[in-house]
Amino acid sequence: DLDVLATKFMQNFSPQLKKLQIAEWWAKGFPEFFTRGTFFEKLMAKSGRYSGWTHTSHNFKLIDFYKYVGGKLRVASMKTTNTVDENKWISNNSDHLTKLSKGVIDDLQGKVAEYKELHVYMPKALLENPNIEKDWILKIKAKYPAISNIVISSIEKELNLL
C-alpha cells in the first residue's frame, strides 16, 4: 500500500537519504513518478501543508485535496514541473487551470469550491533563483485571478528537509 510506504519513508529514512531519493525521483522519474494516484501524493499528504485536508482518491481529475472551512469548500490541486518557463507551463496546463478557476468539482457531485488553491512543486535547485516563485505566482494570478492561493515550492521544503 502506498500510504504505508510513504509512512516508512517519513519515519525510517534519514533527512540526507530523503533528499537523495527526492533528487533521484526528479532525475529519473519525471514525469511518471509524479502522476495522479502515485506514491508522491501519499507522501505529500503527510506534509504539514495538508494536515486537516482530505486526500482525494486517484480518480479525481481536478483536485488532490479538499476540506470544508466554515461550511465552504476549499480545494487544492497539486502539479509538478521541472521547467523554469512559467509561460510554457501555463500554456501546457491551461485547461486544468481554467477548470480549477471555475471551481466546479465534478468528483464532489458538482459542488463549487469557494476557495481554490494551486500548489506547484519543482526541483529544489530551480527555486534557488530568488525570482522564480514570485514570477510564477504573478503570471498565474494575472491569467487566473479566481485561483485564491498559489504556492510554488519544493518537496524538500514541504517535508522540512531544507
Side-chain angles (χ1 to χ4, degrees):
D1 166 293
L2 294 176
D3 192 51
V4 171
L5 288 174
T7 298
K8 286 181 179 180
F9 179 86
M10 293 301 295
Q11 293 176 349
N12 299 335
F13 284 54
S14 70
Q16 186 60 28
L17 196 52
K18 288 176 188 172
K19 290 177 191 178
L20 290 170
Q21 186 61 60
I22 292 166
E24 186 173 317
W25 294 333
W26 282 111
K28 295 181 180 175
F30 190 83
E32 295 80 16
F33 179 80
F34 300 100
T35 58
R36 188 80 182 111
T38 61
F39 175 75
F40 167 69
E41 284 187 7
K42 296 293 185 180
L43 182 62
M44 295 308 289
K46 301 198 176 301
S47 74
R49 178 170 304 282
Y50 301 107
S51 178
W53 292 75
T54 299
H55 180 232
T56 63
S57 62
H58 72 276
N59 60 349
F60 273 50
K61 293 179 178 89
L62 184 62
I63 61 170
D64 300 292
F65 295 92
Y66 70 92
K67 65 180 174 179
Y68 289 91
V69 179
K72 296 187 186 286
L73 178 60
R74 179 181 210 144
V75 299
S77 173
M78 286 193 319
K79 298 300 258 178
T80 55
T81 186
N82 60 3
T83 184
V84 294
D85 184 344
E86 68 271 16
N87 292 313
K88 180 180 175 185
W89 187 88
I90 290 169
S91 177
N92 289 343
N93 288 277
S94 63
D95 185 52
H96 181 83
L97 295 169
T98 298
K99 288 177 182 174
L100 182 62
S101 291
K102 291 178 182 174
V104 178
I105 312 302
D106 292 334
D107 294 308
L108 292 174
Q109 296 78 45
K111 291 184 179 163
V112 178
E114 297 276 334
Y115 195 83
K116 299 156 291 265
E117 296 193 21
L118 174 66
H119 303 167
V120 179
Y121 296 104
M122 54 182 59
K124 175 182 63 131
L126 296 182
L127 293 168
E128 291 171 3
N129 174 338
N131 296 320
I132 198 164
E133 184 178 352
K134 175 181 60 83
D135 291 347
W136 275 63
I137 291 170
L138 287 173
K139 288 263 175 93
I140 295 168
K141 197 71 172 149
K143 190 154 177 133
Y144 300 95
I147 297 176
S148 313
N149 186 39
I150 300 166
V151 173
I152 308 297
S153 190
S154 69
I155 300 167
E156 292 88 347
K157 182 177 181 182
E158 297 303 317
L159 298 180
N160 297 311
L161 297 172
L162 294 181

